Amino acid sequence: MLNKNKDAKRLVEAILFAADEPLDIETIKSKIELNVDVLKILKELQSEFIDRGINLYEISNKWSFRTADNLSKKIASEVVQQRKLSKATIETLAIIAYHQPVTRSEIEEIRGVSFSTGTLEILFELGWVKPNGRKEIPGKPLLYVTTDTFLSHFNLKSLSDLPNSEELASAGLIDSRLDRSIFGTNKFAQDDLEKVSKEDIFSNIDDMLSGTLNKKDN
């Protein structure tokens, strides 16, 4: 049994290193073809690699090896992306991240301005946003959500790891007087806070979401 578990762990490690994308437990099980507790093996590997140059991450119930967080910035390529994301694109991403699933008209309502189809296409090309069904209202507009690639890029295990309104306020990324219901209800501010502009809100949230946009991933 000891050799079986040891062999299984080595095999799981090799499979994850060779994979070109994160793998879920069922996929790993199908590849090793051994009757072992794959989740237990993954947890053991995660613990063993915690102080190494690469760590084992679980993101959206999928597992992959990545450069350790405290090293990634030191070895990151300084090559700047030729296409810098526009303010409209980053605002749209922020809205989808916090209000998903959301329709195009709802995004425009929240931003207070319409945007071109190219804005969403950029997010599609990056793999950060995707259509996810249709809303059951007249016209049945498409609903948009973020992807596992979005979670991976921003090193989030799940959407619940997105900073909440209290954390954003304490970090100075949003006005502390802002109605916190902005995060999920399409409301921007209370009636008596009209001086807090949408532009100011987004410029700060943009800083949070766009911190890594000028560098390529490792």
Side-chain angles (χ1 to χ4, degrees):
M1 178 63 70
L2 179 61
N3 288 337
K4 177 182 177 181
N5 288 336
K6 184 177 180 180
D7 290 344
K9 182 185 290 188
R10 293 178 64 240
L11 186 54
V12 169
E13 182 179 339
I15 289 170
L16 289 171
F17 267 117
D20 56 5
E21 62 182 4
L23 302 177
D24 59 30
I25 289 178
E26 291 304 315
T27 300
I28 297 171
K29 283 182 179 179
S30 69
K31 291 179 179 294
I32 64 174
E33 299 180 345
L34 291 172
N35 185 23
V36 293
D37 188 339
V38 173
L39 179 58
K40 181 180 178 181
I41 290 174
L42 289 167
K43 293 291 187 181
E44 290 175 356
L45 286 172
Q46 191 174 50
S47 178
E48 291 171 8
F49 277 84
I50 196 167
D51 293 322
R52 303 278 291 276
I54 56 173
N55 295 159
L56 180 57
Y57 290 90
E58 179 194 4
I59 296 176
S60 192
N61 297 318
K62 295 182 180 180
W63 297 77
S64 64
F65 281 109
R66 295 177 54 182
T67 304
D69 286 344
N70 61 343
L71 297 178
S72 59
K73 291 183 179 179
K74 295 181 180 179
I75 64 175
S77 170
E78 295 296 332
V79 178
V80 177
Q81 292 182 348
Q82 292 185 355
R83 180 179 61 188
K84 184 177 180 180
L85 295 187
S86 68
K87 179 174 178 290
T89 302
I90 298 176
E91 287 181 1
T92 300
L93 176 62
I95 292 170
I96 294 173
Y98 280 97
H99 291 256
Q100 61 186 299
V102 63
T103 67
R104 175 175 179 147
S105 63
E106 288 169 342
I107 295 171
E108 292 177 337
E109 176 188 348
I110 294 170
R111 288 191 66 228
V113 63
S114 61
F115 62 93
S116 68
T117 303
T119 299
L120 281 173
E121 289 179 349
I122 290 172
L123 295 176
F124 293 158
E125 290 175 11
L126 289 168
W128 292 352
V129 168
K130 67 179 181 180
N132 187 42
R134 294 180 179 273
K135 190 166 186 176
E136 292 300 323
I137 60 174
K140 293 188 175 181
L142 285 169
L143 289 164
Y144 299 101
V145 298
T146 53
T147 65
D148 289 348
T149 303
F150 167 83
L151 294 176
S152 179
H153 182 87
F154 291 101
N155 197 26
L156 301 169
K157 182 177 179 180
S158 67
L159 290 173
S160 62
D161 291 328
L162 278 168
N164 58 36
S165 57
E166 287 77 15
E167 291 168 334
L168 290 172
S170 64
L173 291 173
I174 60 173
D175 193 301
S176 60
R177 300 168 299 157
L178 183 69
D179 180 1
R180 306 300 170 80
S181 61
I182 176 179
F183 298 97
T185 64
N186 293 352
K187 289 179 61 180
F188 277 97
Q190 297 171 353
D191 293 339
D192 59 346
L193 295 179
E194 294 180 356
K195 292 183 180 180
V196 181
S197 71
K198 296 178 185 179
E199 183 174 353
D200 290 341
I201 295 166
F202 277 120
S203 65
N204 289 328
I205 296 178
D206 292 349
D207 291 340
M208 176 196 71
L209 287 177
S210 62
T212 60
L213 294 181
N214 289 331
K215 294 183 179 180
K216 289 184 178 179
D217 287 337
N218 294 322

